[in-house]
Amino acid sequence: MIDKGAVLPLFYLPPAAYFTQFNTFKPDVYIEREEHFPKQTYRNRANVYSPDGVLSLVVPVIKGSKNHTKVKDVRISYDFNWQRLHWMSLQACYRRSAYFEYYEDYFTPFYEGKFEYLFDYNQQLLELILKLLKIKTELRFTESFEPAYAAPVADFRESIHPKKPAVAISKTYYQVFEERHGFLPDLSIVDLLFNQGPQALQYL
């Protein structure tokens, strides 16, 4: 039973605010592994800054991976080449950023090799991003599903959500296309990483 710290879902290229909470509560952060897969969340989508504004990158999942499938059992669909689409989108969005070329070789394998399960894919991406941010901690996972957690446990499973007001990080930073659309808060951590590089952790 979890009696302190925070419970976070496992997202695809999570928003920057996710890592603010992760850094605040570590080492007592638990990744939710036993929940049923909810639709239209960051669990299989990430928002990045494109020339036209916010662009959502969605990892397609095999039909049947709906509300009654445990998140750890959801399989990725390869009916179309979404990996190529995502990687071309990331290049189009961030090729002009200060640190994209510095980090791109770390991310390339995630858009070339195939992963069967969304949870495994997201977990390996999370481990990479924590390493690049220099947030040192071991990942812990929930052992059972709890509908709610009592204080002092902080439950972020529903609060960090594309359809809820953005939980913005405290400071703005330079974004490649901000002269077109201004500063866009709460984008994927890759927006902060590609624009700020080793300074990214200071913004969290």
Side-chain angles (χ1 to χ4, degrees), residues 6 12 23 39 48 51 56 58-59 67 82 89 92 98 107 114 117 129 132 144 147-148 151 164-165 170-171 173 179:
Y12 169 58
N23 202 34
K39 293 185 287 185
V48 296
S56 283
V58 179
V59 179
N67 291 336
W82 63 268
S89 297
F107 287 95
K114 289 191 173 173
Y117 292 100
I129 294 164
L132 297 179
S144 61
K164 293 188 177 175
S170 55
K171 291 184 284 188
Y173 56 89
E179 74 278 1

Side-chain angles (χ1 to χ4, degrees), residues 74-94:
V74 171
R75 286 181 164 86
I76 297 173
S77 171
Y78 293 96
D79 286 348
F80 76 96
N81 195 350
W82 63 268
Q83 289 174 295
R84 182 171 180 270
L85 177 67
H86 284 208
W87 188 241
M88 288 175 64
S89 297
L90 288 171
Q91 288 177 313
C93 293
Y94 297 109

Side-chain angles (χ1 to χ4, degrees), residues 14-18 42 46-49 53-55 94 160-162 164-175 178 181-189 191-192 195:
Y18 180 97
Y42 289 124
N47 290 338
V48 296
Y49 203 146
V54 176
L55 172 67
Y94 297 109
I160 304 175
H161 193 285
K164 293 188 177 175
V167 186
I169 59 174
S170 55
K171 291 184 284 188
T172 61
Y173 56 89
Y174 172 77
Q175 294 172 317
E178 68 176 35
H181 308 285
F183 180 78
L184 297 181
D186 211 43
L187 297 177
S188 166
I189 188 65
D191 186 80
L192 179 60
N195 283 305

Side-chain angles (χ1 to χ4, degrees), residues 14-167:
Y18 180 97
F19 292 93
T20 300
Q21 305 302 347
F22 203 109
N23 202 34
T24 300
F25 287 96
K26 72 173 189 347
D28 297 311
V29 173
Y30 294 85
I31 303 297
E32 175 59 75
R33 186 170 57 185
E34 303 299 326
E35 67 179 356
H36 284 159
F37 179 67
K39 293 185 287 185
Q40 298 183 322
T41 71
Y42 289 124
R43 286 158 184 81
N44 67 322
R45 76 179 54 217
N47 290 338
V48 296
Y49 203 146
S50 81
D52 300 317
V54 176
L55 172 67
S56 283
L57 302 176
V58 179
V59 179
V61 297
I62 288 176
K63 288 197 172 13
S65 296
K66 300 303 181 194
N67 291 336
H68 299 299
T69 306
K70 280 198 174 181
V71 70
K72 63 185 178 184
D73 297 326
V74 171
R75 286 181 164 86
I76 297 173
S77 171
Y78 293 96
D79 286 348
F80 76 96
N81 195 350
W82 63 268
Q83 289 174 295
R84 182 171 180 270
L85 177 67
H86 284 208
W87 188 241
M88 288 175 64
S89 297
L90 288 171
Q91 288 177 313
C93 293
Y94 297 109
R95 178 61 72 196
R96 286 172 49 201
S97 67
Y99 293 95
F100 180 79
E101 288 186 3
Y102 181 77
Y103 291 120
E104 68 175 318
D105 287 347
Y106 290 103
F107 287 95
T108 307
F110 291 93
Y111 298 96
E112 291 178 344
K114 289 191 173 173
F115 292 72
E116 183 176 4
Y117 292 100
L118 178 67
F119 195 90
D120 296 340
Y121 184 64
N122 287 348
Q123 181 183 335
Q124 290 188 37
L125 268 171
L126 176 61
E127 287 169 351
L128 169 65
I129 294 164
L130 290 170
K131 183 174 122 185
L132 297 179
L133 290 171
K134 296 185 167 55
I135 297 176
K136 292 181 180 173
T137 187
E138 281 189 34
L139 292 184
R140 302 180 184 186
F141 299 92
T142 58
E143 298 294 334
S144 61
F145 178 73
E146 302 292 336
Y149 286 93
V153 178
D155 186 352
F156 294 103
R157 292 175 298 177
E158 299 297 331
S159 57
I160 304 175
H161 193 285
K163 294 192 169 146
K164 293 188 177 175
V167 186

